[in-house]
Amino acid sequence: MDSSKKFYVTTPIYYVTARPHLGSLYSTVLADVAARWAKLQDKKTFFLTGTDEHGQKIAQAAEKAGKQPKEFTDSFISDYKQIWAEFEIEYNRFIRTTDEFHVKAVQQWLTALINKGEIYKGFYEGWYCTSCETYVTEEIPTPSTAQPPLCHSCGRPTHFVSEESYFFKLSAYQDRLLKLYQEHPEFIVPKERAHEVINFVKSGLKDLSISRTTITWGIPFPGDSKHVTYVWADALNNYITGVGYGWDEKEFKKWWPADLHILGKDIIRFHAVYWPAFLMATGLALPKQLLVHGWIKVGEQKMSKSLGNVVDPQVLYNAYGADPVRYYLLRQLAITHDGEFSIADLEQKITSDLANDLGNLLNRMITLAEKNNVLQLPAPATWSKTSMELQDAFLKMHAEYQEHMNGYLYHLALAALWKYIGLTNAYFHAHEPWKLAKSDPKLFSEVLSAAAHSLYAIGVLLWPVMPQKMELLLAALGKKLPLDQNYVEQLKKESWNKDFALTKGETLFMKIEPQLAEAKPEELKAEEQKSNEVKGTSSGDATTIKIDDFTKVELLVGTVTACDEVPKSDKLYKLQVDFGSKGTRQILSGVRKHFAAADLIGKQGVFVYNLAPRAMVGLESQGMMLFAEDHAGKLQMVTVGYAVPNGTKIR
Ligand code: MSP
């Protein structure tokens, strides 16, 4: 296949010690967007992802769970597949390192290297980090009785390993690796990350231990049943076995070398040093590029399972859906840096960027077209000056967007595109089309058509980032995206000559209501008051409800047993509330500025018990605590006259 027409992209394969977290989702979304961007340019793509299931880390986690390793890893696979499906991850193969074809191909690979003299038997003594499954080669081996050095990658204590081992002759590849980095500066993206790799290689490479005798959970080493394969020598090979190496030569030829490996900065050494050396030794072509992303942080810390601060993608999906989360991950986190993940910020971006800027533009345009019976919108024969200026602005943005997408600088690509959405909104408003409908129907139709052309191009360009929502947007314009041509090039060449068949569909993006009614900012409260006055529902003129309406609300007495501040929110407390025989519930309450935690703990209050659970800052609130508010905005807990059993009903 013409190599410029194909695109083979991979994610790291994930250690399956738990369900996927936001860090795994991030690597995987990056790969999905890269694959879709290639598809949009009519390339044949192969997208490989999967799970890393051997080694000491998995064996220990399985033991802790009281399961056999395979039974343990099996138990997470459906979670991975479900979450990837929910987030529209369109992979071609999900590889597991326990797959038979992979195991055999790795053994075949080892045999080939043994036969070539690239692997020899020796003795390894030194420090090992189980969490990273890595030998800490910078440390001089000292007796096992010494204080263990900390792992250079994760900072955890290492342990001493002393065992017979097979070695890969990594030291022989030092010069060839340095030549690779020099001749192919594009090999590592962003290039700043190459420095640490080059320094590591320059400092001298030791041969790499690639087998273990002290563990049994791994691929049996060919010809020596005492040894299992070192987990990284096993795992890295997924990139070739996943496309046929060792079992389908034709398929392998079609896809290898990979165009892009995506990985986090913590595993750069494995991919930029060991992996190319393995491939050089095997006589295979090298991957074209490594895209190395930073970490998602929560506050100051890397988000990780072991730190217990992970954000569950499932919670995000349930609360916001897939596309807004995909958008936020790409827009907010610069691939070149570590970035902070914040629910408040995610919600704000959904409202401002997605609902207000983009969703409203589509909605306003179609609503006006519908009202004025121009749902069949023809392209104007000629365009006025301001419309031509909008087209020019589009072409400028297109060039910028394309350059950044090709360089995986997604945050910059999206910033350029959003600037253009802003220009389209400004164009639309400046023409006041709602006035033109009667006074100048020709210009009215032109303005609608210009907005529709802009939205069409936006929908196409944004498809890799938000596939489902952009397909809806295009459908509202009467268009489809059959991926049968290079759309990116096409958009550049096209003059605006499309007819549109508009349909008013469902709202594309919902604004996120401030998640916490009781903690609304003062301005919002004022706004609400104003709009209530207009509607005649201000407190002085309250509409009445029937007794049936009131009895729908289940009010129960409960005792606050714990009260913790919610990080990432300056208003919220996370309460544990005891409802007696009805159990304990987690309830979030935005009253931090009114009460110290000690004021609430141990107190009996009144709660709305049957309020539908709501997600706030990534946590679920299962009810609402009631307070009395005086004119000055001072709150008092709603209590009962004297202590009653928890779970008592208010009626
Ligand atoms: N199994 C190895 C990879 C083998 S690839 C041949 C591994 N697995 S991992 O599950 O620990 O990590 C997989 C990927 O998730 C890495 O790229 C890692 O950087 C990424 N992330 C894990 N936590 C992360 C964040 N908090 N933020 C961003 N990505 C992070 O390493």
Side-chain angles (χ1 to χ4, degrees):
M1 197 190 312
D2 172 359
S3 71
S4 66
K5 286 285 221 180
K6 72 103 181 153
F7 185 73
Y8 170 31
V9 59
T10 67
T11 70
I13 48 173
Y14 302 103
Y15 288 129
V16 267
T17 50
R19 292 156 47 74
H21 65 73
L22 195 61
S24 356
L25 179 70
Y26 182 51
S27 290
T28 314
V29 165
L30 288 173
D32 189 63
V33 174
R36 287 178 188 267
W37 178 244
K39 284 181 198 171
L40 200 59
Q41 295 169 87
D42 205 22
K43 292 190 185 175
K44 301 279 166 277
T45 64
F46 195 97
F47 170 7
L48 180 72
T49 189
T51 44
D52 191 352
E53 306 194 7
H54 291 127
Q56 195 164 1
K57 184 183 172 97
I58 303 283
Q60 281 178 357
E63 197 183 334
K64 215 163 144 198
K67 288 189 176 162
Q68 288 303 313
K70 180 65 171 40
E71 180 197 1
F72 178 67
T73 57
D74 281 350
S75 69
F76 296 114
I77 300 301
S78 57
D79 290 328
Y80 269 88
K81 291 190 172 169
Q82 182 184 329
I83 289 181
W84 292 168
E86 285 171 349
F87 279 92
E88 303 158 75
I89 306 297
E90 231 174 35
Y91 57 79
N92 295 81
R93 175 164 293 122
F94 187 101
I95 188 171
R96 302 179 58 183
T97 52
T98 48
D99 285 333
E100 180 85 12
F101 72 85
H102 171 80
V103 170
K104 284 201 170 132
V106 169
Q107 288 175 326
Q108 200 178 310
W109 172 77
L110 287 166
T111 309
L113 290 197
I114 293 167
N115 292 342
K116 279 179 136 188
E118 297 284 349
I119 289 174
Y120 63 93
K121 198 171 183 174
F123 193 80
Y124 181 79
E125 227 173 34
W127 302 98
Y128 192 80
C129 170
T130 305
S131 177
C132 297
E133 295 280 20
T134 189
Y135 300 95
V136 181
T137 50
E138 289 88 342
E139 297 294 330
I140 311 287
T142 44
S144 56
T145 47
Q147 181 73 9
L150 301 182
C151 169
H152 295 280
S153 175
C154 71
R156 292 188 183 83
T158 55
H159 67 274
F160 199 73
V161 178
S162 171
E163 56 186 327
E164 179 187 275
S165 176
Y166 285 90
F167 284 84
F168 169 71
K169 286 186 182 164
L170 182 65
S171 58
Y173 289 90
Q174 181 166 347
D175 292 344
R176 283 175 68 182
L177 286 167
L178 289 172
K179 198 161 160 246
L180 162 72
Y181 312 137
Q182 198 185 13
E183 286 176 0
H184 293 280
E186 77 291 351
F187 181 60
I188 299 172
V189 179
K191 49 180 181 309
E192 296 73 38
R193 299 238 190 255
H195 301 317
E196 69 168 276
V197 172
I198 294 172
N199 289 341
F200 173 71
V201 175
K202 275 192 177 156
S203 72
L205 293 177
K206 293 189 186 129
D207 289 347
L208 180 69
S209 163
I210 54 159
S211 76
R212 307 286 313 269
T213 53
T214 45
I215 63 166
T216 53
W217 178 236
I219 297 184
F221 207 79
D224 196 338
S225 56
K226 277 209 321 272
H227 291 250
V228 295
T229 311
Y230 169 45
V231 61
W232 274 99
D234 159 356
L236 285 163
N237 273 296
N238 93 88
Y239 299 137
I240 53 176
T241 66
V243 285
Y245 176 82
W247 58 279
D248 188 340
E249 230 11 64
K250 203 167 142 226
E251 182 81 352
F252 181 57
K253 276 219 173 83
K254 184 167 162 192
W255 296 112
W256 191 257
D259 295 85
L260 186 66
H261 289 320
I262 289 175
L263 50 130
K265 64 178 186 180
D266 48 331
I267 53 176
I268 187 169
R269 185 181 299 177
F270 302 95
H271 286 79
V273 182
Y274 303 164
W275 182 226
F278 287 168
L279 290 165
M280 287 171 183
T282 321
L284 289 174
L286 305 185
K288 293 192 189 140
Q289 212 160 43
L290 309 179
L291 175 62
V292 188
H293 64 75
W295 285 339
I296 301 181
K297 295 196 160 182
V298 175
E300 279 306 295
Q301 287 181 310
K302 179 191 179 200
M303 185 180 57
S304 81
K305 282 168 256 181
S306 42
L307 291 172
N309 60 357
V310 299
V311 176
D312 185 344
Q314 188 65 58
V315 173
L316 296 180
Y317 174 79
N318 294 347
Y320 311 108
D323 283 348
V325 177
R326 287 172 65 113
Y327 168 74
Y328 177 75
L329 288 176
L330 296 186
R331 176 81 200 252
Q332 185 56 21
L333 304 170
I335 200 133
T336 41
H337 292 86
D338 293 346
E340 231 190 279
F341 178 85
S342 132
I343 292 275
D345 199 31
L346 163 68
E347 293 185 345
Q348 197 258 323
K349 287 234 156 33
I350 293 176
T351 296
S352 64
D353 299 9
L354 300 181
N356 288 349
D357 295 347
L358 179 55
N360 269 351
L361 176 62
L362 177 75
N363 188 37
R364 274 195 304 266
M365 190 272 286
I366 296 191
T367 306
L368 260 186
E370 188 185 35
K371 238 166 106 186
N372 294 284
N373 283 327
V374 283
L375 284 171
Q376 295 300 323
L377 190 62
T382 55
W383 293 97
S384 60
K385 187 165 165 275
T386 49
S387 304
M388 293 300 289
E389 282 165 3
L390 188 65
Q391 291 184 35
D392 287 346
F394 167 72
L395 288 176
K396 221 171 124 228
M397 177 278 283
H398 182 289
E400 218 179 312
Y401 188 80
Q402 187 174 16
E403 187 192 328
H404 292 317
M405 289 296 282
N406 288 342
Y408 313 110
L409 295 168
Y410 298 131
H411 63 298
L412 296 181
L414 291 171
L417 194 126
W418 248 262
K419 206 167 130 204
Y420 178 68
I421 294 175
L423 289 179
T424 310
N425 270 314
Y427 163 92
F428 194 75
H429 279 276
H431 281 91
E432 302 186 314
W434 49 94
K435 291 187 185 159
L436 292 176
K438 298 272 170 316
S439 63
D440 189 346
K442 192 164 154 273
L443 185 57
F444 173 72
S445 171
E446 177 183 331
V447 171
L448 259 50
S449 177
H453 278 90
S454 278
L455 281 162
Y456 170 78
I458 289 164
V460 171
L461 292 176
L462 266 185
W463 176 80
V465 179
M466 295 191 282
Q468 199 210 351
K469 292 291 183 188
M470 291 309 105
E471 280 164 24
L472 283 176
L473 179 148
L474 293 174
L477 302 173
K479 301 291 176 203
K480 283 201 173 103
L481 197 61
L483 297 178
D484 53 356
Q485 53 175 300
N486 185 336
Y487 282 85
V488 177
E489 283 307 309
Q490 193 56 32
L491 279 178
K492 209 156 53 181
K493 287 190 224 134
E494 248 167 35
S495 53
W496 284 7
N497 58 1
K498 288 190 184 329
D499 300 336
F500 293 97
L502 309 177
T503 25
K504 198 159 165 56
E506 59 183 273
T507 305
L508 209 53
F509 298 105
M510 301 300 280
K511 285 187 195 183
I512 304 282
E513 290 302 325
Q515 288 283 343
L516 193 61
E518 61 270 49
K520 274 185 198 167
E522 295 316 309
E523 324 83 76
L524 262 177
K525 277 195 177 164
E527 277 300 313
E528 195 171 76
Q529 181 104 23
K530 256 196 269 160
S531 83
N532 282 345
E533 277 161 17
V534 173
K535 285 186 261 169
T537 56
S538 66
S539 48
D541 183 20
T543 46
T544 55
I545 58 166
K546 300 222 169 71
I547 183 72
D548 290 348
D549 292 323
F550 176 69
T551 52
K552 279 188 201 147
V553 183
E554 198 178 354
L555 295 172
L556 296 188
V557 176
T559 297
V560 178
T561 55
C563 173
D564 296 305
E565 294 186 354
V566 173
K568 301 268 128 222
S569 158
D570 53 0
K571 305 190 178 90
L572 283 173
Y573 275 134
K574 182 174 79 177
L575 309 175
Q576 296 299 324
V577 183
D578 179 1
F579 290 105
S581 60
K582 297 192 123 172
T584 296
R585 280 196 175 179
Q586 171 175 295
I587 291 179
L588 302 186
S589 187
V591 294
R592 216 147 96 191
K593 68 170 193 249
H594 300 276
F595 301 96
D599 296 331
L600 300 176
I601 296 172
K603 300 272 166 57
Q604 224 174 25
V606 177
F607 298 82
V608 182
Y609 188 76
N610 62 341
L611 196 69
R614 292 182 301 165
M616 298 179 203
V617 290
L619 296 169
E620 190 174 86
S621 182
Q622 303 156 330
M624 187 167 89
M625 185 164 189
L626 297 186
F627 296 90
E629 184 176 8
D630 70 12
H631 289 307
K634 194 166 170 348
L635 299 188
Q636 296 290 341
M637 272 178 77
V638 174
T639 53
V640 282
Y642 47 87
V644 294
N646 285 329
T648 300
K649 243 179 140 168
I650 305 280
R651 38 165 294 207

